[in-house]
Amino acid sequence: MQLKGVAAAPGLAIGPCLVLEDIIHPDLTQKTIDSQDIQAEQDKVKNALDKAGKQLELIRDRAVADGQEEQSAVMEAHLMMLADPILNDGFLKAIENDLLPAVGAVQIGIEKQAAVFEALEDAYFRERAQDIRDIGRRVVNLLLGIQEPDVSNLPNPLILVARDITPSMMASVDAKNLLGIAAEIGGRTSHTAILANNLAIPAVLGCQGVVQSAHGLDEDEQIAVDGSTGIVHVGITVSQAEKLRQEIRRREEIHHELEQIKDTPTRTMDGVTVQLAANVMGPDDLDRIQAVGAEGVGLYRTEFLFMDRSQAPDEEEQYKAYRKIVEGMAGKPVIIRTMDIGGDKGVEYLNLEQEENPFLGYRALRICLDRPDLFLTQLKAILRAGVHGRVLIMFPMVSSLEELRAAKIFVDQAKEELRTADVPFAEDVPTGIMIEIPSAALIADLLIKEADFFSIGSNDLTQYTIAVDRMNAKIGQLYTSFHPAMLRLIKQVIDPTIEAGGDKFIGMCGEMAGDPKATMLLLGLGLQEFSVGPAGLLRIKKIIQGVTMDEAKLVANHAISMETAGDVEEYLADAIPEDLKKYLL
Ligand code: PEP
Ligand code: MG
């Protein structure tokens, strides 16, 4: 039987499975207590919170000892949520005012907080609901005297299946015996997914029915998790198992083959070189991008430094994070994007208001221009990091020339402040913009006169151009970057940049740059820099190395004359030379 979920961490694993029993808590949200028991129930909550904190500290400390930075960071975030005074006061008040028992008070408080997260537009923040429920489950287990499922010592190599594989489980799991995971809850940006990626463990999340199907298996039946396609095969037959093993071998061969080209130049067969950079979320990604020979960082999403915390990072903390990446890249260019938060990505301490249309609202550069305190702090940290290598500053969500001009004035002011304070910084830092709003694409010829470079944000450019919310699963099938309008806009951005010449350059850092189907098209249109997630970087290099510029131009010219997204995509997949088609997956 095949089930489809979210492809949350790439790779294909096959093996026996361990189904974790779901611990069902009694619902005590309707129960009441006598008023003389208030104090005792409140003490129980305080005690359980205390113990939960100690458990989380233990998991964090183990992760630190094992050098697992991402795991320890997630546990640190859980500790912060657990210590939130508003949440804790809420538990105690619910006992006192509503006469709820300890368990009921925690259940209600946690669900309230989870609902706040779930109401947010941004998938990353919505999935923080899973984190808060993970914490709540731990506290309720302690209150009810239920043992936490222990996954820190798995008996043999296996695939873990559960309704919910929580971030705290992933932070404490016995990774050497974990082949893969499949769960009914969770999405691509859940902490479970992030940790699975970090541990290089194939994961399929949001896979409904997987627990029940896995429950029905005989002892000797196996399960396969394909974290690249989102498919879980349950109860596979001997012949299916053999086929899947062949597929694993095939992917391993491709992986091995691709590893061989990691230090070779990204150059077409007829000698045209392009820049192949990687997208990062923070210093933890350095190892991964170095392992694939990234030629730079084409997009550093700095907003992640501002999330999951109670106040904005100060200049020093930001400087240290940026410096780590800049030094790690040893002179290769690092494009640091100023924070892209707000509206949909509500950061609590910024107290942003709920908006009708957050994607069209107060976000990214719009916040920065309105909050000099935040913007100048970040710009100064970036300029200081520039002393340690090659840094470029990039502004997100630029829609007009006025915004670019205003942002550049802030850069000058940040430099002036550093100069006055006698703090070393890089004077010569190019400033560029993301082209992710159609208005910016349409005036690219004007913008390029005042920007040093462009990077096309195809993710947002697609959603704004074809009016399809990139987060809305219901209309997910409408979301495509191969729409003829997108092709025309991309060309309209590339042409004037090339014409401007000099040191100006045009890149792309949206997902489209990492889609092998788009490689010949983008190359043929003249894209000079591709910035992609590390997992898919070498496939793009292989395709660039396997084609000529003339071939790519022919393909691009033909694709741009086509009438529908479906036709474009089909044509592009077909146009890839036969020997390179295997890199499409
Ligand atoms: C984009 O919009 O294409 C982009 C790279 O930015 P983000 O995905 O962070 O919005
Ligand atoms: Mg964007």
Side-chain angles (χ1 to χ4, degrees):
M1 173 196 285
Q2 273 192 20
L3 297 167
K4 180 95 175 83
V6 176
L12 177 57
I14 177 166
C17 73
L18 173 69
V19 184
L20 288 183
E21 287 309 321
D22 211 13
I23 299 170
I24 313 260
H25 292 145
D27 177 4
L28 298 186
T29 55
Q30 306 294 331
K31 275 233 166 318
T32 47
I33 54 166
D34 288 337
S35 51
Q36 77 254 27
D37 295 332
I38 290 175
Q39 187 63 49
E41 292 297 300
Q42 286 182 329
D43 287 347
K44 276 190 209 165
V45 168
K46 286 183 199 155
N47 197 11
L49 288 170
D50 201 42
K51 281 192 181 146
K54 294 210 168 86
Q55 287 181 349
L56 291 173
E57 275 166 10
L58 201 68
I59 302 175
R60 178 201 58 193
D61 294 347
R62 268 198 222 127
V64 172
D66 293 346
Q68 295 171 335
E69 281 183 33
E70 196 93 41
Q71 275 78 348
S72 67
V74 172
M75 286 304 95
E76 198 58 56
H78 276 210
L79 275 163
M80 238 181 55
M81 289 189 195
L82 182 75
D84 178 359
I86 300 177
L87 187 72
N88 292 348
D89 267 4
F91 299 152
L92 302 182
K93 282 202 183 109
I95 295 174
E96 188 175 343
N97 302 339
D98 306 330
L99 295 178
L100 280 164
V103 170
V106 172
Q107 287 173 326
I108 282 189
I110 291 289
E111 273 316 303
K112 252 196 211 150
Q113 184 59 36
V116 170
F117 284 124
E118 277 174 344
L120 297 172
E121 293 255 348
D122 182 74
Y124 177 84
F125 286 101
R126 265 203 317 268
E127 285 175 7
R128 299 291 73 78
Q130 188 202 16
D131 292 279
I132 196 78
R133 289 202 177 101
D134 187 5
I135 292 162
R137 185 194 44 75
R138 181 176 294 279
V139 177
V140 171
N141 276 348
L142 282 161
L143 285 167
L144 296 172
I146 297 171
Q147 196 76 25
E148 278 289 312
D150 181 11
V151 288
S152 64
N153 222 334
L154 300 173
N156 49 282
L158 51 78
I159 288 165
L160 208 53
V161 177
R163 192 181 68 79
D164 186 11
I165 296 176
T166 63
S168 61
M169 279 181 204
M170 282 306 285
S172 60
V173 79
D174 176 8
K176 69 179 184 314
N177 274 329
L178 186 65
L179 300 172
I181 62 170
E184 306 214 350
I185 284 181
R188 212 181 304 273
T189 47
S190 63
H191 270 142
T192 304
I194 291 168
L195 296 182
N197 268 295
N198 198 249
L199 294 167
I201 290 187
V204 174
L205 303 177
C207 185
Q208 285 178 15
V210 71
V211 170
Q212 203 190 357
S213 312
H215 257 311
L217 290 182
D218 290 336
E219 282 264 305
D220 55 346
E221 284 185 305
Q222 299 207 327
I223 184 168
V225 169
D226 190 340
S228 306
T229 60
I231 290 181
V232 178
H233 307 258
V234 184
I236 37 191
T237 61
V238 176
S239 71
Q240 275 175 323
E242 188 39 44
K243 253 203 194 144
L244 287 165
R245 288 213 172 83
Q246 269 175 18
E247 177 62 16
I248 293 177
R249 281 194 291 275
R250 191 184 78 86
R251 289 194 201 172
E252 274 169 4
E253 268 165 33
I254 290 179
H255 182 75
H256 186 67
E257 202 186 309
L258 289 176
E259 267 180 351
Q260 314 302 312
I261 62 164
K262 100 176 177 43
D263 296 317
T264 59
T266 309
R267 192 184 296 146
T268 61
M269 284 168 82
D270 50 347
V272 177
T273 303
V274 293
Q275 167 87 359
L276 185 52
N279 295 347
V280 300
M281 291 186 346
D284 282 354
D285 291 331
L286 259 180
D287 288 352
R288 253 178 293 170
I289 69 168
Q290 280 164 344
V292 293
E295 294 158 4
V297 168
L299 168 64
Y300 179 175
R301 289 184 161 101
T302 59
E303 53 275 13
F304 285 92
L305 194 59
F306 292 75
M307 295 174 180
D308 285 341
R309 54 192 300 151
S310 52
Q311 58 187 38
D314 62 15
E315 184 184 314
E316 205 54 32
E317 183 181 345
Q318 291 188 53
Y319 162 67
K320 280 189 186 139
Y322 306 153
R323 176 178 171 171
K324 241 190 201 170
I325 297 222
V326 173
E327 281 184 340
M329 293 312 286
K332 291 177 184 157
V334 177
I335 300 180
I336 305 184
R337 175 173 79 179
T338 55
M339 58 179 159
D340 187 11
I341 47 180
D344 59 324
K345 296 182 190 172
V347 170
E348 239 173 75
Y349 53 84
L350 291 183
N351 295 323
L352 303 173
E353 285 166 25
Q354 285 274 349
E355 293 175 306
E356 283 283 325
N357 282 305
F359 274 117
L360 307 180
Y362 187 64
R363 61 174 293 203
L365 189 63
R366 296 168 185 181
I367 297 185
C368 288
L369 295 178
D370 195 38
R371 290 283 306 264
D373 53 329
L374 289 172
F375 200 26
L376 284 170
T377 305
Q378 179 166 41
L379 290 171
K380 284 194 271 186
I382 298 174
L383 289 165
R384 286 174 59 197
V387 171
H388 306 281
R390 207 165 135 216
V391 162
L392 299 89
I393 297 177
M394 176 159 73
F395 307 118
M397 295 293 297
V398 172
S399 65
S400 68
L401 202 46
E402 291 96 314
E403 280 168 344
L404 169 59
R405 286 178 183 158
K408 286 175 70 175
I409 290 173
F410 274 106
V411 176
D412 289 340
Q413 189 181 335
K415 285 182 182 171
E416 193 49 46
E417 287 182 18
L418 289 170
R419 209 172 284 124
T420 312
D422 225 4
V423 177
F425 68 95
E427 271 285 358
D428 195 15
V429 172
T431 45
I433 61 173
M434 294 200 62
I435 299 284
E436 50 185 349
I437 299 181
S439 62
L442 291 166
I443 57 161
D445 58 327
L446 305 178
L447 289 164
I448 198 59
K449 292 187 187 143
E450 300 182 32
D452 295 317
F453 65 93
F454 286 156
S455 185
I456 301 174
S458 55
N459 307 340
D460 276 318
L461 189 59
T462 301
Q463 79 163 343
Y464 292 132
T465 301
I466 61 174
V468 176
D469 179 349
R470 65 193 256 199
M471 303 295 179
N472 188 340
K474 210 166 174 180
I475 49 168
Q477 79 286 357
L478 296 179
Y479 184 92
T480 169
S481 299
F482 294 108
H483 193 294
M486 275 293 287
L487 272 51
R488 291 182 192 197
L489 277 182
I490 292 170
K491 182 170 163 47
Q492 204 159 335
V493 177
I494 294 178
D495 287 350
T497 318
I498 293 177
E499 220 166 275
D503 289 334
K504 310 227 175 198
F505 69 90
I506 169 77
M508 177 182 280
C509 58
E511 293 298 308
M512 191 181 192
D515 183 343
K517 286 197 292 297
T519 310
M520 290 183 83
L521 165 76
L522 298 172
L523 202 56
L525 288 176
L527 194 77
Q528 296 159 325
E529 183 234 24
F530 292 66
S531 189
V532 308
L537 185 141
L538 290 174
R539 288 188 306 192
I540 302 299
K541 184 185 276 195
K542 191 77 186 175
I543 291 180
I544 293 171
Q545 290 180 336
V547 300
T548 64
M549 203 57 186
D550 284 345
E551 279 170 342
K553 279 185 185 154
L554 275 177
V555 167
N557 279 339
H558 188 62
I560 211 162
S561 73
M562 302 186 91
E563 294 176 354
T564 68
D567 287 350
V568 171
E569 191 167 0
E570 197 179 318
Y571 166 69
L572 290 176
D574 204 46
I576 295 176
E578 277 317 306
D579 58 323
L580 298 176
K581 285 214 164 73
K582 64 178 179 186
Y583 302 109
L584 270 178
L585 185 83

